[in-house]
Amino acid sequence: MRARYERNLHALTKNEQEMLSGKRVCIVGCGGLGGYLLEYLLRAGIGHITVIDGDCFEESNLNRQLLSDENHIGSSKTQTAKERAKAVNSEVTVTAVDSFLTEDNSEELLKGHDLVLDAVDSLAVRRLMGTQCAKLRIPLIYGAISGWYAQISLIMPGDPLLDLLCGHGTEPSDKSALSFTPAVCASFQAAEAVKYLCGRECSLNGGILYVDLLHMETELVRIRL
């Protein structure tokens, strides 16, 4: 076992740590949630990570997006993510897709992964991602933030939970996000991802975790489907 993973043990077994090195995970979105997800999964030792995002960094990202800094304004988010990955854990294979997820490319980009992580801020893209994950039989870890609040869930193939969460509503007008909210949301997502990839019981399967950082409250709601 490499020294870089020593502090992952005994929280993870040696076999679990080795198991993670063979897993393929896709992060859709490299902004607020995506940057933190990448950081956590790199340090956990996931063997292959695909990052998908067609956007570039702008000044308004600086308040919350881990991968953004003043020197990367105008730079590709996925290429910056790949640079960060090389600096943090060069043993991880990172595939950077400098494109948005669309009807035309979603099947090709998502197939072959063990798990997909939702790091987008668009209901339309989230619905597309959910539809394609269901078709490909890939579990999806949902994460969404607004201001002080976050929601997280594990959505298994065939589970209609994402339809309940997204419905057919319009895009939210409130795009506020504080610096710590995506970090907290991504921490829960990453924890659930590691448990799933190691074959452990996942607390958010069939439930939604609501996080209220303003009042320091959490609530796990079980959904009868």
Side-chain angles (χ1 to χ4, degrees), residues 40-172:
Y40 300 149
L41 298 183
L42 285 169
R43 296 182 187 276
I46 306 299
H48 187 117
I49 302 174
T50 301
V51 289
I52 301 173
D53 199 321
D55 204 2
C56 295
F57 289 113
E58 55 188 47
E59 187 177 356
S60 63
N61 301 148
L62 293 173
N63 80 312
R64 71 198 182 283
Q65 296 192 11
L66 183 64
L67 294 173
S68 68
D69 59 45
E70 294 179 1
N71 294 322
H72 282 91
I73 301 300
S75 299
S76 161
K77 290 187 176 182
T78 54
Q79 291 305 314
T80 303
K82 192 166 185 175
E83 293 170 12
R84 176 64 180 174
K86 186 176 180 180
V88 171
N89 192 345
S90 61
E91 296 177 357
V92 176
T93 300
V94 174
T95 301
V97 180
D98 192 13
S99 174
F100 294 109
L101 196 73
T102 67
E103 292 276 2
D104 294 333
N105 66 19
S106 57
E107 180 175 2
E108 184 65 27
L109 292 179
L110 297 181
K111 71 179 183 181
H113 292 93
D114 298 296
L115 184 65
V116 173
L117 289 110
D118 167 18
V120 302
D121 61 0
S122 163
L123 288 179
V125 176
R126 186 171 284 129
R127 292 187 195 107
L128 170 62
M129 185 168 34
T131 298
Q132 201 57 254
C133 282
K135 178 181 176 182
L136 296 169
R137 309 298 296 173
I138 303 173
L140 170 68
I141 297 186
Y142 159 86
I145 62 172
S146 178
W148 296 82
Y149 310 103
Q151 297 177 356
I152 309 96
S153 183
L154 170 61
I155 301 171
M156 300 301 290
D159 188 335
L161 186 54
L162 190 64
D163 292 334
L164 297 177
L165 289 165
C166 294
H168 300 284
T170 58
E171 299 292 340

